[in-house]
Amino acid sequence: LDTDKAGMIAQGFTNEVGEWKAMVDPTAPSPPNVLAQLAKNSGSTFNVALVSAANYQDLEISVKMKAIAGTEDQGGGLVWRARDAKNYYVARYNPLEDNYRLYKVAKGRRSQLQSADIKHSDGWHTLMVTMKGDHMKCYYDSKKYLDAKDSSFREAGKIGLWTKADAQSNFDDLTVIGK
């Protein structure tokens, strides 16, 4: 994100839903820029940015995230095995609810696979997911909280970032290893 122009979507990402822009954040783990979700949507709007060239089946994906604002929702998460903006897995942390959850989103409808309670602390936090076959493990700041199996999305798919409703969050250091 360091070479991206502030005010534009980060290079290689597609703005599926929401308002995703590269922004300067002096607290960024890899300064100066982050990818920020700025939309103030409501209800069950899922804000999604996908990496256009990514196509992974088994993977390890991680991102650093900082919740900035939101009264209805806060936080955000990682998307993987995405067919499009309405079909994917997502692991997300919500500081308003003090929980980390794993969902599948099929035809735009979200179904919870697992949930863990995590007490919120301000600042940057690392979300990481590994998936091999139908087995997913989700980590928050290097500690495993979620461990589930699901075979709804078996094929390789895109990776991306996610927030819900009016959750405004900054993301940095998105990395993926896989095939």
Side-chain angles (χ1 to χ4, degrees), residues 160-174:
L161 302 171
W162 185 97
T163 75
K164 181 175 175 270
D166 65 344
Q168 296 179 323
S169 298
N170 289 354
F171 297 88
D172 202 6
D173 295 343
L174 176 65

PDB file of all heavy atoms in Angstrom, residues 160-174:
ATOM      1  N   GLY A 160      -9.840 -11.107   0.100  1.00  0.00           N
ATOM      2  CA  GLY A 160     -10.204  -9.708   0.222  1.00  0.00           C
ATOM      3  C   GLY A 160     -10.417  -9.277   1.659  1.00  0.00           C
ATOM      4  O   GLY A 160     -10.055  -9.985   2.604  1.00  0.00           O
ATOM      5  N   LEU A 161     -11.024  -8.105   1.782  1.00  0.00           N
ATOM      6  CA  LEU A 161     -11.279  -7.473   3.080  1.00  0.00           C
ATOM      7  C   LEU A 161     -12.760  -7.178   3.206  1.00  0.00           C
ATOM      8  O   LEU A 161     -13.466  -7.022   2.206  1.00  0.00           O
ATOM      9  CB  LEU A 161     -10.453  -6.192   3.207  1.00  0.00           C
ATOM     10  CG  LEU A 161      -8.941  -6.395   3.056  1.00  0.00           C
ATOM     11  CD1 LEU A 161      -8.231  -5.062   2.963  1.00  0.00           C
ATOM     12  CD2 LEU A 161      -8.392  -7.240   4.193  1.00  0.00           C
ATOM     13  N   TRP A 162     -13.235  -7.029   4.466  1.00  0.00           N
ATOM     14  CA  TRP A 162     -14.667  -6.987   4.727  1.00  0.00           C
ATOM     15  C   TRP A 162     -14.968  -6.117   5.945  1.00  0.00           C
ATOM     16  O   TRP A 162     -14.234  -6.151   6.933  1.00  0.00           O
ATOM     17  CB  TRP A 162     -15.112  -8.411   4.999  1.00  0.00           C
ATOM     18  CG  TRP A 162     -16.557  -8.707   5.192  1.00  0.00           C
ATOM     19  CD1 TRP A 162     -17.425  -9.165   4.250  1.00  0.00           C
ATOM     20  CD2 TRP A 162     -17.318  -8.637   6.414  1.00  0.00           C
ATOM     21  NE1 TRP A 162     -18.656  -9.376   4.804  1.00  0.00           N
ATOM     22  CE2 TRP A 162     -18.618  -9.057   6.133  1.00  0.00           C
ATOM     23  CE3 TRP A 162     -17.011  -8.246   7.718  1.00  0.00           C
ATOM     24  CZ2 TRP A 162     -19.618  -9.110   7.091  1.00  0.00           C
ATOM     25  CZ3 TRP A 162     -17.998  -8.289   8.681  1.00  0.00           C
ATOM     26  CH2 TRP A 162     -19.293  -8.716   8.354  1.00  0.00           C
ATOM     27  N   THR A 163     -16.035  -5.338   5.866  1.00  0.00           N
ATOM     28  CA  THR A 163     -16.653  -4.708   7.033  1.00  0.00           C
ATOM     29  C   THR A 163     -18.158  -4.789   6.830  1.00  0.00           C
ATOM     30  O   THR A 163     -18.641  -5.097   5.743  1.00  0.00           O
ATOM     31  CB  THR A 163     -16.241  -3.238   7.265  1.00  0.00           C
ATOM     32  OG1 THR A 163     -16.903  -2.396   6.326  1.00  0.00           O
ATOM     33  CG2 THR A 163     -14.738  -3.035   7.209  1.00  0.00           C
ATOM     34  N   LYS A 164     -18.895  -4.453   7.880  1.00  0.00           N
ATOM     35  CA  LYS A 164     -20.354  -4.491   7.795  1.00  0.00           C
ATOM     36  C   LYS A 164     -20.929  -3.128   8.161  1.00  0.00           C
ATOM     37  O   LYS A 164     -20.437  -2.458   9.067  1.00  0.00           O
ATOM     38  CB  LYS A 164     -20.901  -5.555   8.753  1.00  0.00           C
ATOM     39  CG  LYS A 164     -22.419  -5.687   8.732  1.00  0.00           C
ATOM     40  CD  LYS A 164     -22.880  -6.846   9.613  1.00  0.00           C
ATOM     41  CE  LYS A 164     -24.374  -6.918   9.688  1.00  0.00           C
ATOM     42  NZ  LYS A 164     -24.935  -6.132  10.778  1.00  0.00           N
ATOM     43  N   ALA A 165     -21.984  -2.743   7.452  1.00  0.00           N
ATOM     44  CA  ALA A 165     -22.762  -1.533   7.740  1.00  0.00           C
ATOM     45  C   ALA A 165     -21.862  -0.297   7.789  1.00  0.00           C
ATOM     46  O   ALA A 165     -21.207   0.017   6.812  1.00  0.00           O
ATOM     47  CB  ALA A 165     -23.575  -1.722   9.021  1.00  0.00           C
ATOM     48  N   ASP A 166     -21.829   0.392   8.954  1.00  0.00           N
ATOM     49  CA  ASP A 166     -21.075   1.642   9.066  1.00  0.00           C
ATOM     50  C   ASP A 166     -19.695   1.454   9.688  1.00  0.00           C
ATOM     51  O   ASP A 166     -19.068   2.417  10.127  1.00  0.00           O
ATOM     52  CB  ASP A 166     -21.871   2.677   9.864  1.00  0.00           C
ATOM     53  CG  ASP A 166     -22.085   2.276  11.314  1.00  0.00           C
ATOM     54  OD1 ASP A 166     -21.895   1.090  11.661  1.00  0.00           O
ATOM     55  OD2 ASP A 166     -22.450   3.160  12.117  1.00  0.00           O
ATOM     56  N   ALA A 167     -19.196   0.222   9.723  1.00  0.00           N
ATOM     57  CA  ALA A 167     -17.869  -0.050  10.289  1.00  0.00           C
ATOM     58  C   ALA A 167     -16.791   0.551   9.401  1.00  0.00           C
ATOM     59  O   ALA A 167     -16.625   0.134   8.259  1.00  0.00           O
ATOM     60  CB  ALA A 167     -17.654  -1.550  10.463  1.00  0.00           C
ATOM     61  N   GLN A 168     -16.104   1.533   9.924  1.00  0.00           N
ATOM     62  CA  GLN A 168     -14.984   2.145   9.227  1.00  0.00           C
ATOM     63  C   GLN A 168     -13.710   1.627   9.876  1.00  0.00           C
ATOM     64  O   GLN A 168     -13.509   1.806  11.085  1.00  0.00           O
ATOM     65  CB  GLN A 168     -15.065   3.661   9.300  1.00  0.00           C
ATOM     66  CG  GLN A 168     -16.298   4.190   8.583  1.00  0.00           C
ATOM     67  CD  GLN A 168     -16.403   5.690   8.655  1.00  0.00           C
ATOM     68  OE1 GLN A 168     -16.076   6.291   9.663  1.00  0.00           O
ATOM     69  NE2 GLN A 168     -16.862   6.290   7.576  1.00  0.00           N
ATOM     70  N   SER A 169     -12.884   0.970   9.081  1.00  0.00           N
ATOM     71  CA  SER A 169     -11.669   0.333   9.593  1.00  0.00           C
ATOM     72  C   SER A 169     -10.522   0.546   8.629  1.00  0.00           C
ATOM     73  O   SER A 169     -10.727   0.730   7.432  1.00  0.00           O
ATOM     74  CB  SER A 169     -11.895  -1.174   9.782  1.00  0.00           C
ATOM     75  OG  SER A 169     -12.904  -1.407  10.723  1.00  0.00           O
ATOM     76  N   ASN A 170      -9.303   0.509   9.182  1.00  0.00           N
ATOM     77  CA  ASN A 170      -8.087   0.586   8.382  1.00  0.00           C
ATOM     78  C   ASN A 170      -7.430  -0.787   8.357  1.00  0.00           C
ATOM     79  O   ASN A 170      -7.411  -1.487   9.376  1.00  0.00           O
ATOM     80  CB  ASN A 170      -7.111   1.606   8.966  1.00  0.00           C
ATOM     81  CG  ASN A 170      -7.587   3.033   8.771  1.00  0.00           C
ATOM     82  OD1 ASN A 170      -8.592   3.280   8.109  1.00  0.00           O
ATOM     83  ND2 ASN A 170      -6.864   3.971   9.346  1.00  0.00           N
ATOM     84  N   PHE A 171      -6.876  -1.147   7.195  1.00  0.00           N
ATOM     85  CA  PHE A 171      -6.224  -2.432   7.002  1.00  0.00           C
ATOM     86  C   PHE A 171      -4.825  -2.203   6.446  1.00  0.00           C
ATOM     87  O   PHE A 171      -4.620  -1.301   5.629  1.00  0.00           O
ATOM     88  CB  PHE A 171      -7.014  -3.294   6.015  1.00  0.00           C
ATOM     89  CG  PHE A 171      -8.393  -3.659   6.489  1.00  0.00           C
ATOM     90  CD1 PHE A 171      -9.471  -2.820   6.241  1.00  0.00           C
ATOM     91  CD2 PHE A 171      -8.611  -4.842   7.178  1.00  0.00           C
ATOM     92  CE1 PHE A 171     -10.753  -3.159   6.668  1.00  0.00           C
ATOM     93  CE2 PHE A 171      -9.887  -5.192   7.606  1.00  0.00           C
ATOM     94  CZ  PHE A 171     -10.955  -4.354   7.353  1.00  0.00           C
ATOM     95  N   ASP A 172      -3.865  -3.044   6.861  1.00  0.00           N
ATOM     96  CA  ASP A 172      -2.489  -2.932   6.378  1.00  0.00           C
ATOM     97  C   ASP A 172      -1.862  -4.319   6.371  1.00  0.00           C
ATOM     98  O   ASP A 172      -2.296  -5.219   7.090  1.00  0.00           O
ATOM     99  CB  ASP A 172      -1.691  -1.987   7.288  1.00  0.00           C
ATOM    100  CG  ASP A 172      -0.461  -1.397   6.611  1.00  0.00           C
ATOM    101  OD1 ASP A 172      -0.263  -1.616   5.394  1.00  0.00           O
ATOM    102  OD2 ASP A 172       0.320  -0.713   7.304  1.00  0.00           O
ATOM    103  N   ASP A 173      -0.825  -4.475   5.586  1.00  0.00           N
ATOM    104  CA  ASP A 173      -0.012  -5.698   5.549  1.00  0.00           C
ATOM    105  C   ASP A 173      -0.811  -6.954   5.230  1.00  0.00           C
ATOM    106  O   ASP A 173      -0.645  -7.983   5.879  1.00  0.00           O
ATOM    107  CB  ASP A 173       0.752  -5.898   6.876  1.00  0.00           C
ATOM    108  CG  ASP A 173       1.783  -4.813   7.120  1.00  0.00           C
ATOM    109  OD1 ASP A 173       2.142  -4.100   6.169  1.00  0.00           O
ATOM    110  OD2 ASP A 173       2.233  -4.688   8.275  1.00  0.00           O
ATOM    111  N   LEU A 174      -1.672  -6.889   4.229  1.00  0.00           N
ATOM    112  CA  LEU A 174      -2.377  -8.084   3.778  1.00  0.00           C
ATOM    113  C   LEU A 174      -1.369  -9.016   3.109  1.00  0.00           C
ATOM    114  O   LEU A 174      -0.664  -8.612   2.178  1.00  0.00           O
ATOM    115  CB  LEU A 174      -3.485  -7.719   2.786  1.00  0.00           C
ATOM    116  CG  LEU A 174      -4.240  -8.893   2.154  1.00  0.00           C
ATOM    117  CD1 LEU A 174      -5.030  -9.659   3.207  1.00  0.00           C
ATOM    118  CD2 LEU A 174      -5.172  -8.390   1.056  1.00  0.00           C
TER     119      LEU A 174
END
